[in-house]
Amino acid sequence: MSISAETYARLLSLADQAPLDCLPLTERTLARAKTLGYCQIGQIRNTPPSRLLADLGEERADELQRALYDFGMRQQVAKAS
């Protein structure tokens, strides 16, 4: 089964709006992320890994990135201009 790029983009947009609570995270990581204003999956996907590392520390940033992969998503990679 395949879907169009338009449908995929729409599904990805909906997933980005989902709360972080949808991800399999420890209570400590979830609380820390929310304290820093990360409330939706899209915020994590659109934040550069270096920024997550600076904000959350290595252990929590790794946990968030693993949870994204487990959820079937990847962080967006910034394109060079």
Side-chain angles (χ1 to χ4, degrees):
M1 174 184 215
S2 64
I3 61 173
S4 69
E6 182 180 299
T7 299
Y8 179 76
R10 187 176 319 134
L11 290 172
L12 192 57
S13 175
L14 289 172
D16 278 347
Q17 294 174 35
L20 281 184
D21 303 83
C22 293
L23 296 176
L25 300 170
T26 62
E27 287 296 321
R28 192 170 181 182
T29 296
L30 185 58
R32 179 73 177 143
K34 285 184 172 185
T35 298
L36 293 170
Y38 297 107
C39 299
Q40 296 178 321
I41 290 174
Q43 290 173 295
I44 299 300
R45 269 189 6 97
N46 294 316
T47 300
S50 60
R51 179 78 256 160
L52 286 178
L53 183 62
D55 286 350
L56 300 165
E58 184 175 0
E59 183 180 336
R60 307 231 178 293
D62 286 346
E63 182 182 346
L64 277 164
Q65 290 173 343
R66 277 192 314 273
L68 281 178
Y69 288 120
D70 291 348
F71 197 66
M73 302 180 84
R74 293 183 298 235
Q75 280 187 295
Q76 291 187 354
V77 179
K79 295 180 182 179
S81 301

